Amino acid sequence: NAGVMQNPRHLVRRRGQEARLRCSPMKGHSHVYWYRQLPEEGLKFMVYLQKENIIDESGMPKERFSAEFPKEGPSILRIQQVVRGDSAAYFCASSPMNRGYNSPLHFGNGTRLTVT
Amino acid sequence: ELKVEQNPLFLSMQEGKNYTIYCNYSTTSDRLYWYRQDPGKSLESLFVLLSNGAVKQEGRLMASLDTKARLSTLHITAAVHDLSATYFCAVDTRDDKIIFGKGTRLHILP
C-alpha cells in the first residue's frame, strides 16, 4: 500500500520538549499539506509545501513551529518547546505536482500528540 | 480570507430518515470536496465537485454544488447506522490552499 504514511501514530512529550512528526507522501506526490485537528473540531490548515520549498505557511504559529520537505526523505513538522495547547491530531495530506482537477487530497492516519 | 461554514454541526437522526448537511463558503472557488472521518481515523474522500450544478451520488449520499450561491449540500437518503461519522466539506482556494469546515457530527440511531 503506497498511501500517505505518518509516524509516529502517537507521540507523548513533556512540556518544553521537541516533537517531530514525519510524513511520507504517496508515491509520485510532490506536494504535502499539514493540518491540525483539536478534539471534536475541524481541520485547521497549517502549511503547504513542495520539495525544498514552502508554498504557503499562513496557518503556522509564528513561533516554535516549523516545517520542511527536503529533496530526499519525508516532510517533517517540528514543534519546539511544546506546551499543553499543542496537544492535537496532526494530519498530513499529499497531492501530485499537477493536481488533476478531479483529484482530492490523500490523507495519512495522523499523529496524535499528547503534551503532559 | 476564505471561510467555510457547515451546518448543522451536530445531527442525531433515526435510521430510515432523510437529511441534508449544508456547506457555505465566502469567496469564489471552483472545487469543493466532501470527506468522511470516523472517530480516531483518517479522512476518506467522498466527492469532488468541480462546477456549478455538479451533482454526484454514491449509495445513500448525494452531493451538489451551487457556485453562484457558494453552497454545497450533502444529502443523506434513508440513513443507516453505518453512516454515523463526521462529514467535512473543504474548499479549494485559487492558490491551492484547501480550507475545511468544522465538520458535521452525524449520529444515526438504530
Side-chain angles (χ1 to χ4, degrees):
Chain A
N1 186 340
V4 179
M5 303 298 294
Q6 287 188 251
N7 68 83
R9 288 294 302 276
H10 300 275
L11 181 61
V12 180
R13 285 286 178 266
R14 291 182 178 166
R15 278 182 300 169
Q17 291 185 318
E18 179 179 285
R20 280 184 179 240
L21 287 62
R22 294 174 185 78
C23 170
S24 296
M26 282 182 71
K27 188 176 180 180
H29 285 193
S30 57
H31 288 199
V32 164
Y33 295 74
W34 285 95
Y35 289 86
R36 175 163 66 178
Q37 185 177 35
L38 294 171
E40 300 184 8
E41 290 199 10
L43 277 76
K44 183 173 181 296
F45 170 81
M46 298 182 76
V47 63
Y48 170 34
L49 313 102
Q50 66 181 72
K51 282 193 182 287
E52 300 184 283
N53 186 29
I54 296 174
I55 300 174
D56 187 325
E57 57 180 347
S58 58
M60 290 277 273
K62 294 286 184 272
E63 297 178 349
R64 301 188 298 108
F65 284 72
S66 62
E68 62 176 4
F69 189 13
K71 186 176 179 182
E72 301 290 338
S75 175
I76 306 286
L77 179 67
R78 182 181 176 209
I79 311 172
Q80 294 178 287
Q81 298 174 319
V82 295
V83 300
R84 288 219 173 101
D86 297 333
S87 296
Y90 292 83
F91 285 95
C92 167
S94 73
S95 72
M97 181 173 67
N98 295 310
R99 182 154 56 90
Y101 229 55
N102 201 28
S103 175
L105 294 183
H106 298 267
F107 280 84
N109 286 325
T111 293
R112 280 148 186 86
L113 172 66
T114 302
V115 180
T116 61
Chain B
E1 183 181 313
L2 174 63
K3 292 192 188 315
V4 181
E5 292 187 354
Q6 285 182 240
N7 73 84
L9 297 182
F10 300 94
L11 178 56
S12 183
M13 55 192 289
Q14 295 281 345
E15 275 194 328
K17 299 290 187 183
N18 304 333
Y19 210 83
T20 300
I21 300 169
Y22 298 88
C23 174
N24 290 276
Y25 54 98
S26 60
T27 63
T28 302
S29 174
D30 52 9
R31 270 186 285 190
L32 188 140
Y33 310 90
W34 284 96
Y35 285 86
R36 168 182 172 147
Q37 186 182 35
D38 291 295
K41 303 290 187 184
S42 185
L43 281 82
E44 173 193 353
S45 176
L46 295 174
F47 300 108
V48 180
L49 300 169
L50 300 175
S51 60
N52 190 41
V55 177
K56 290 195 175 179
Q57 183 162 5
E58 181 73 34
R60 299 174 189 275
L61 300 178
M62 183 173 71
S64 66
L65 178 61
D66 181 343
T67 57
K68 292 179 182 175
R70 297 178 185 167
L71 170 69
S72 179
T73 61
L74 181 67
H75 186 74
I76 302 148
T77 302
V80 293
H81 182 65
D82 286 352
L83 290 179
S84 296
T86 299
Y87 292 86
F88 292 97
C89 68
V91 178
D92 209 326
T93 64
R94 290 291 168 90
D95 52 4
D96 282 339
K97 191 164 72 176
I98 298 173
I99 304 299
F100 280 75
K102 289 189 174 181
T104 297
R105 289 178 65 195
L106 177 63
H107 181 51
I108 298 170
L109 304 168

